[in-house]
C-alpha cells in the first residue's frame, strides 16, 4: 500500500484517539484529519483508519458515504461551498452560484460538486451554514465569507488563483 | 423603542472584547464556577440537606430554564431524570450542531465568548456528577472548533479543567467533536451515534438519553445557549432568574432575524417580546417591503402571517397559535418573495437531510417535494391538498424522529395561510439542482 501518514499527523491522530473511551468514536475526527491532509478520503485511507481503530473497512466506508463533508475523490485546490438555504436563497444565492459557475466554466444546473478545468476551484451547494443574518454566505475552504456580492466573489476567486 | 436585554451576550459585542481567558476573567468570568465549587451541604426547608450538586440542580429546576435547542423541554426536569443510581459514568454533551436553517445564535457564543460556554459546561457537569463531556460542533465551524480547542487548553492550563479543579476534588475534561455536514446529527440520539463513530441515524425513544445516551450510558444533553444560561442561574439564584421573561418561559432568548429587515442579526430579548418588537430592533422592513409572512422556528417550524405581529414570543403563546419558537428563528418574507419556491426549498431540504432509516420519512419527503415542484409549475393547491394531508399524517405519526415528524409542518402552515393559493408562480421554479 502506498498510503503513508506523516509523523506529525500520526501524533495528532494518536492524541485524538485518547479523547474517547472507545476507539471507534474517533472515526469522524480521523476522517477530517485525513481529508485535510490528502484532500479526499481514498480507499487506502479508509483501510488505514479502520486498521488504526480496530474496525472493518466497511465501518469507515459507510461514514464517508453518509456524511456530506467527506469526499472519495480529489477536489479542486480550493473548495467553494455556496449556501442555498432559505435566507441565502432570499439573499441571492442562486445568482452567486451561477456567477461562480460562469466564471469557472461550470454548469450551474449540474448536481453535486464540480471542478474547474484547471483544477483550481471546486464549487458546490450546501445547506444552511448558520450565518443567515449576513446572506448570501459561502465558504472558501475553511473560511466563511458573508454578504457576498458578485464583486466580493470575484475578489475571492482572484485571491485564491 | 424596544430594547435588548442582554444576559448572555453581555459583553460579546463590545469593541475590545476578545475570546481569550484573560479578557473573560477581567469581565467577571469563572466567578459562578468558583461560587459553585465552594458550596457546602445546605439545609433547605422542606428538602432536607442538599449536597452542592443537588442544590445547583434544584436552582436550575426552580429557575424554570427551558431548552434552547428547539424542543423547549425543562432543563431542571431533564437533569432530574439522569440515572445516578446505576453507578455507570454520566456524560454531558453540548449540542453545538446549530444546523436548523435560519439559526445562527450559538455561533455568537462559540466564536465571541467561548469561555462562557465552557464555564456553563463545567458547572453543569459538576451538578450532574460528570467527569467527561463533549461539545459536538457542526463540521463547517472549523474556526469555531479551533477557538473552543484553544479556550479549553487555556482552561486546562489554569486548572479550570482536568484533575482536582481549583482544589475542589472535582475532575472533568471536555473535548470537541466535529460533525461532518449532516443536519440530522443535531437530533440528540443521532448525535450520540455520530459521536460513537457511526452513521448519524436517530435511535428509537424510549429509552431516553438520561438513562441510555452516549455509549448506552446516562447522558445529559443540552444546547449551547441552554448551558450558558446556567451561569446567571447560579449567580442570581433560580428564583430571581424565574422572574425574568414570562412565567412559563423564563429568562432571555437569542433570536435570529434574517430576510427582509434592515439589520438582520442576533437579538437577545426577554421572552415575551413581540414579533413587532424584534422587527423594530432589526430596523424594520426594508424599503418598499410589505410583510407577507414570518417563518418561526426554522424549516422544522412554521409560517405565521402579519396578524401575529403582536403575539408575545414565548414557548406557550406560540404553541397556542399553532406555531413553535424552536431555536429562535425569525425569517421575514415580503410581497416580492416567491413563497412557492421557498416552500419547495424546505421540502427539498428535508428530502436531502432525511437519514433514510424509516420509510414514512424517506419516501414521504420525496413525495412531498414532488408536489411542491408541481405547484411551482402551475398545478393548483386544491388538487394537491389531499395528497399533502395524507403525507403529513403518515410522516407525523410514523416517523422515528423529529425530522420526519416536523417535515410537513412549515408546508401545512403555508397552505393554511393561503401562501400557496392559486399561484401560477413565476414559471420554472425547477430547483437549483440537488445533491
Ligand atoms: C432533526 C433535528 C435537528 C436538531 N438540531 C439541533 C441542533 O442543531 N442544535 C440543538 O441544540 N438541538 C437540535 N435538535 C434538538 C435536540 O434533539 C435536543 O432536543 C437538544 O439538543 C436538547 O437540548 P436543550 O434541551 O438544551 O434544548 C434537533 C432536533 C431534531 C429532531
Ligand atoms: S424520521 Fe427521517 S431522519 Fe428521522 S430516523 Fe426516520 S428517516 Fe431518519
Ligand atoms: S441560510 Fe445560508 S447561512 Fe443560513
Amino acid at each position: 500500500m502506498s498510503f503513508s501518514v506523516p509523523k506529525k499527523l500520526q501524533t495528532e491522530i494518536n492524541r485524538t484517539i485518547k479523547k474517547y473511551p472507545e476507539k471507534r468514536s474517533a472515526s469522524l475526527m480521523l476522517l477530517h484529519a485525513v481529508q485535510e491532509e490528502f484532500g479526499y478520503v481514498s480507499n487506502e485511507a479508509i483501510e488505514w483508519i479502520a486498521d488504526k481503530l480496530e474496525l472493518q473497512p466497511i465501518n469507515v466506508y459507510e461514514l464517508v458515504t453518509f456524511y456530506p463533508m467527506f469526499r472519495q475523490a480529489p477536489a479542486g485546490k480550493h473548495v467553494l461551498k455556496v449556501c442555498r438555504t432559505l435566507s441565502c436563497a432570499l439573499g441571492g444565492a442562486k445568482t452567486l452560484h451561477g456567477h461562480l459557475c460562469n466564471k469557472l466554466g461550470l454548469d450551474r444546473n449540474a448536481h453535486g460538486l464540480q471542478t474547474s478545468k484547471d483544477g483550481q476551484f471546486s464549487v458546490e451547494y450546501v445547506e444552511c451554514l448558520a450565518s443567515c443574518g449576513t446572506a448570501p454566505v459561502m465558504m472558501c475552504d475553511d473560511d466563511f465569507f458573508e454578504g457576498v456580492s458578485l464583486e466580493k466573489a470575484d475578489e475571492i476567486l482572484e485571491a485564491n488563483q | 423603542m424596544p430594547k435588548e436585554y442582554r444576559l448572555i451576550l453581555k459583553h460579546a459585542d463590545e469593541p475590545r472584547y476578545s475570546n481569550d481567558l484573560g479578557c473573560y476573567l477581567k469581565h467577571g468570568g469563572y466567578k459562578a464556577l468558583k461560587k459553585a465549587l465552594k458550596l457546602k451541604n445546605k439545609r433547605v426547608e422542606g428538602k432536607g440537606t442538599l449536597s452542592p450538586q443537588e442544590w445547583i440542580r434544584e436552582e436550575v429546576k426552580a429557575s424554570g430554564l427551558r431548552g434552547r435547542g428547539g424542543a423547549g423541554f425543562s432543563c431542571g426536569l431533564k437533569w432530574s431524570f439522569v440515572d445516578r443510581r446505576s453507578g455507570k459514568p454520566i456524560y454531558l454533551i453540548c449540542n453545538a450542531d446549530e444546523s436548523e436553517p435560519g439559526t445562527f445564535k450559538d455561533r455568537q457564543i462559540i466564536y465571541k465568548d467561548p469561555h462562557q460556554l465552557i464555564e456553563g459546561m463545567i458547572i453543569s457537569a459538576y451538578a450532574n456528577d460528570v467527569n467527561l463531556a463533549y461539545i459536538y460542533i457542526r463540521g463547517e465551524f472549523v474556526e469555531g472548533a479551533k477557538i473552543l480547542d484553544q479556550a479549553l487548553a487555556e482552561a486546562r492550563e489554569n486548572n479550570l479543567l482536568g484533575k482536582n479543579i481549583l482544589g475542589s476534588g472535582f475532575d472533568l475534561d471536555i473535548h470537541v467533536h466535529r460533525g461532518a455536514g449532516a443536519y440530522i446529527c443535531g437530533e440528540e440520539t443521532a448525535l450520540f451515534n455520530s459521536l460513537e463513530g457511526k452513521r448519524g441515524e436517530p435511535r428509537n425513544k424510549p429509552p431516553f438519553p438520561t438513562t441510555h445516551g452516549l455509549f448506552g450510558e446516562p447522558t445529559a444533553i443540552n444546547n449551547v445557549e441552554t448551558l450558558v444560561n446556567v451561569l446567571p442561574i447560579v449567580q442570581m439564584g433560580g428564583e430571581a432568574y424565574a422572574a425574568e421573561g414570562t412565567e412559563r418561559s423564563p429568562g432571555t432568548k437569542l433570536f435570529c432575524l434574517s430576510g427582509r429587515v434592515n439589520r438582520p442579526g442576533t437579538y437577545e430579548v426577554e421572552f415575551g417580546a413581540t414579533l413587532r418588537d424584534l422587527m423594530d430592533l432589526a430596523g424594520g422592513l426594508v424599503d418598499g417591503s410589505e410583510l407577507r409572512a414570518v417563518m418561526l422556528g426554522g424549516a422544522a417550524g412554521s409560517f405565521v402571517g402579519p396578524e401575529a405581529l403582536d403575539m408575545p414570543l414565548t414557548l406557550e403563546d406560540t404553541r397556542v397559535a399553532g406555531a413553535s419558537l424552536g431555536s429562535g428563528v425569525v425569517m421575514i418574507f415580503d410581497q416580492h418573495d416567491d413563497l412557492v419556491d421557498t416552500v419547495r426549498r424546505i421540502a427539498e431540504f428535508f428530502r436531502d437531510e432525511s437519514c433514510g432509516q424509516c420509510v414514512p420519512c424517506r419516501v414521504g419527503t420525496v413525495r412531498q417535494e414532488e408536489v411542491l415542484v408541481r405547484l411551482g409549475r402551475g398545478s393548483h393547491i386544491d388538487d394537491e391538498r389531499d395528497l399533502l394531508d395524507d403525507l403529513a399524517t403518515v410522516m407525523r405519526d410514523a416517523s422515528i424522529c423529529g425530522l420526519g415528524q416536523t417535515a410537513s409542518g412549515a408546508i401545512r402552515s403555508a397552505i393554511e395561510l393561503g401562501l400557496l393559493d392559486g399561484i401560477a408562480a413565476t414559471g420554472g421554479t425547477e430547483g437549483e439542482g440537488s445533491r
Side-chain angles (χ1 to χ4, degrees), chain B residues 192-213:
Chain B
F192 298 146
N193 279 340
S194 184
L195 227 163
E196 290 176 16
K198 302 171 187 157
R199 292 160 68 101
E201 287 166 349
R203 304 173 182 167
N204 267 309
K205 286 191 277 194
F208 291 100
T210 44
T211 56
H212 294 76

Side-chain angles (χ1 to χ4, degrees), chain B residues 184 202 353-358 361-362 399-405:
Chain B
I184 191 58
E353 299 294 345
S354 165
C355 82
Q357 189 183 199
C358 58
C361 169
R362 182 178 67 231
S399 296
I400 288 183
C401 86
L403 189 148
Q405 289 157 10

Side-chain angles (χ1 to χ4, degrees), chain B residues 87-125:
Chain B
K88 293 183 190 164
I90 299 168
Y91 294 101
L92 173 75
I93 308 293
C94 168
N95 190 339
D97 196 52
E98 184 139 88
S99 46
E100 185 60 46
T103 315
F104 47 100
K105 61 182 181 80
D106 296 338
R107 109 183 247 136
Q108 313 301 327
I109 298 165
I110 293 166
Y111 280 67
K112 297 174 185 166
D113 210 2
H115 280 287
Q116 213 184 344
L117 171 59
I118 294 170
E119 185 180 5
M121 284 186 73
I122 303 173
I123 296 176
S124 303

Side-chain angles (χ1 to χ4, degrees), chain A residues 19-21 24-25 29 32 62-63 66-69 84 87 90 94 111 125 127-128 130 132-133 139, chain B residues 103-104 107 134 138 177-181 194-196 198-200 215 258 260 264 331 345 352 432-434:
Chain A
K19 294 179 180 173
Y20 302 93
R24 183 173 185 173
S25 273
M29 295 297 274
H32 276 302
E62 66 171 1
L63 303 181
F66 183 88
Y67 292 95
M69 277 181 84
R84 63 169 182 181
S87 315
L90 291 184
K94 199 170 179 176
H111 288 194
Y125 266 135
E127 299 294 355
C128 182
C132 330
M139 294 181 77
Chain B
T103 315
F104 47 100
R107 109 183 247 136
Y134 294 94
R138 59 176 299 167
H177 183 92
R178 292 179 58 204
S194 184
L195 227 163
E196 290 176 16
K198 302 171 187 157
R199 292 160 68 101
F215 303 119
S258 65
R260 307 302 182 196
M331 204 181 284
R345 273 266 53 229
D352 227 12
E432 303 186 5
S434 33

Side-chain angles (χ1 to χ4, degrees), chain B residues 410-429:
Chain B
I411 297 168
R412 296 194 57 78
S413 66
I415 296 174
E416 271 157 35
L417 287 173
L419 300 176
L420 310 181
D421 281 353
I423 307 172
T426 41
T429 51

Side-chain angles (χ1 to χ4, degrees), chain B residues 193-431:
Chain B
N193 279 340
S194 184
L195 227 163
E196 290 176 16
K198 302 171 187 157
R199 292 160 68 101
E201 287 166 349
R203 304 173 182 167
N204 267 309
K205 286 191 277 194
F208 291 100
T210 44
T211 56
H212 294 76
L214 185 64
F215 303 119
E217 290 171 334
T219 304
I221 174 163
N222 286 109
N223 172 257
V224 172
E225 188 186 346
T226 314
L227 290 167
V228 168
N229 269 287
V230 171
L231 299 176
I233 294 171
V234 167
Q235 288 286 32
M236 60 168 97
E239 220 167 284
Y241 182 95
E244 315 269 353
T246 67
E247 194 185 333
R248 299 191 49 209
S249 302
T252 65
K253 177 81 194 84
L254 308 184
F255 285 99
C256 310
L257 272 88
S258 65
R260 307 302 182 196
V261 284
N262 281 310
R263 289 191 301 274
T266 312
Y267 294 91
E268 180 174 0
V269 294
E270 265 184 283
F271 274 112
T274 63
L275 254 184
R276 192 186 301 279
D277 294 337
L278 274 178
M279 287 179 56
D280 286 348
L281 277 172
L285 290 167
V286 295
D287 251 3
S289 267
E290 274 165 44
L291 183 64
R292 181 84 190 290
V294 179
M295 195 174 77
L296 290 181
S302 53
F303 289 97
V304 296
E307 69 286 350
L309 272 178
D310 293 309
M311 174 173 68
L313 295 173
T314 64
L315 294 152
E316 59 277 14
D317 291 289
T318 48
R319 174 162 299 177
V320 169
S324 80
L325 221 47
S327 47
V329 174
V330 178
M331 204 181 284
I332 313 287
F333 297 85
D334 72 11
Q335 78 277 24
H336 302 302
D337 293 324
D338 182 346
L339 287 168
V340 174
D341 196 54
T342 300
V343 173
R344 181 198 58 76
R345 273 266 53 229
I346 294 174
E348 184 185 26
F349 175 82
F350 283 121
R351 189 260 296 138
D352 227 12
E353 299 294 345
S354 165
C355 82
Q357 189 183 199
C358 58
V359 177
C361 169
R362 182 178 67 231
V363 179
T365 52
V366 174
R367 292 287 171 265
Q368 182 172 266
E369 186 194 0
E370 287 167 0
V371 174
L372 270 304
V373 169
R374 282 202 297 275
L375 282 176
R377 289 180 180 154
S379 104
H380 199 279
I381 183 66
D382 287 344
D383 301 327
E384 307 284 6
R385 210 185 297 261
D386 288 348
L387 177 55
L388 280 177
D389 277 352
D390 271 359
L391 288 169
T393 309
V394 172
M395 286 198 284
R396 208 178 41 226
D397 295 348
S399 296
I400 288 183
C401 86
L403 189 148
Q405 289 157 10
T406 58
S408 56
I411 297 168
R412 296 194 57 78
S413 66
I415 296 174
E416 271 157 35
L417 287 173
L419 300 176
L420 310 181
D421 281 353
I423 307 172
T426 41
T429 51
E430 286 299 298

